[in-house]
Amino acid sequence: MRYKFFLLVFSLLLTGSLSFAQQFQASFSNTGNLVSFKIRPTADINTGFSSIEFYVRYPVGSPAFTFGDVVENTTNFPGMGDFTIINEGVVDGYNIAHFAYASPITTSRSYTSGTEYEVFNVKLIGPSTSTVDLQLVQSNDDDPFYVNITNQFGTPIRAPLTTIFYPTTDISGDPYFYQLAGVLLPVKWLSFYAERKNDNALLNWKVTSEGKNAY
């Protein structure tokens, strides 16, 4: 009987059905207007992914901006295809943007406990004199907006609600939102060209606005 139980547990581990200790937390960070979305495992795991979803919100009345092209990290997630960006409308005074990946299933590989893996990055494009406050959303109150991560078998492998985000930063004591404050928007260009002047280059440019930038 003990031998049969051991085989059952071993089989479940192989199929990914027992993944309670092998979960992923979520986070994001920015360098200027480039925002990077990341996950990290709470234990060593070998897995593929059938879906990864992030919901981001920002206040209504924020400076007008658009998301650029999503650049997937196929080194960290081999076989990953394109993310889609879905406008989910307004909830409680916030615009909701949904970044969704559901096909095809990524190639299974090993992920090391506590190591951060960038899933994708995306640029914010808008007026350079402004900033935008972004929040990752994991809120039962705003269901169905959430962080979703499933393995190649469709089994959820995201961390529990109260520990889904890292580092553990909340907003006004609310663990359901993780904020990335003051994301800079870039210079908005009208033109840029170079003209040869003997052995030098004369650079000319025009912008509609600029601020919080250098060089």
Side-chain angles (χ1 to χ4, degrees):
M1 179 67 68
R2 183 179 302 171
Y3 178 69
K4 289 182 178 179
F5 177 75
F6 173 78
L7 286 180
L8 174 61
V9 172
F10 183 68
S11 174
L12 289 171
L13 286 171
L14 285 179
T15 60
S17 296
L18 286 182
S19 57
F20 54 87
Q22 297 170 319
Q23 300 165 332
F24 284 86
Q25 297 173 293
S27 186
F28 65 168
S29 63
N30 73 293
T31 302
N33 68 314
L34 183 68
V35 181
S36 174
F37 290 75
K38 310 165 185 179
I39 61 176
R40 73 177 186 186
T42 58
D44 291 349
I45 182 174
N46 188 293
T47 188
F49 297 86
S50 57
S51 65
I52 301 178
E53 296 177 86
F54 293 92
Y55 284 83
V56 174
R57 74 177 194 173
Y58 52 95
V60 171
S62 296
F65 74 94
T66 58
F67 291 104
D69 294 333
V70 174
V71 180
E72 294 82 6
N73 193 326
T74 55
T75 299
N76 289 341
F77 301 89
M80 178 173 282
D82 294 335
F83 268 80
T84 58
I85 306 177
I86 305 166
N87 180 2
E88 298 287 358
V90 176
V91 176
D92 296 335
Y94 287 86
N95 296 297
I96 307 291
H98 176 193
F99 294 84
Y101 172 75
S103 178
I105 295 175
T106 68
T107 303
S108 183
R109 59 151 287 182
S110 295
Y111 299 89
T112 303
S113 176
T115 300
E116 186 176 74
Y117 298 91
E118 182 188 67
V119 183
F120 66 88
N121 62 64
V122 62
K123 288 184 177 180
L124 273 59
I125 303 170
S128 64
T129 54
S130 305
T131 62
V132 176
D133 294 338
L134 298 180
Q135 297 175 9
L136 276 184
V137 178
Q138 172 52 56
S139 173
N140 286 346
D141 296 333
D142 292 335
D143 185 71
F145 306 128
Y146 52 83
V147 174
N148 175 49
I149 307 170
T150 59
N151 67 13
Q152 66 268 43
F153 307 106
T155 302
I157 51 173
R158 68 178 183 88
L161 179 65
T162 55
T163 59
I164 183 64
F165 297 134
Y166 72 93
T168 53
T169 301
D170 58 28
I171 300 170
S172 301
D174 190 339
Y176 299 154
F177 306 101
Y178 175 41
Q179 179 161 279
L180 188 59
V183 179
L184 293 174
L185 298 175
V187 171
K188 189 170 183 180
W189 297 94
L190 286 176
S191 64
F192 185 96
Y193 64 93
E195 178 183 358
R196 181 173 179 176
K197 290 290 186 180
N198 299 320
D199 293 330
N200 298 309
L202 178 63
L203 306 180
N204 295 274
W205 64 86
K206 293 181 181 180
V207 298
T208 58
S209 60
E210 60 181 320
K212 299 181 181 179
N213 61 81
Y215 307 105

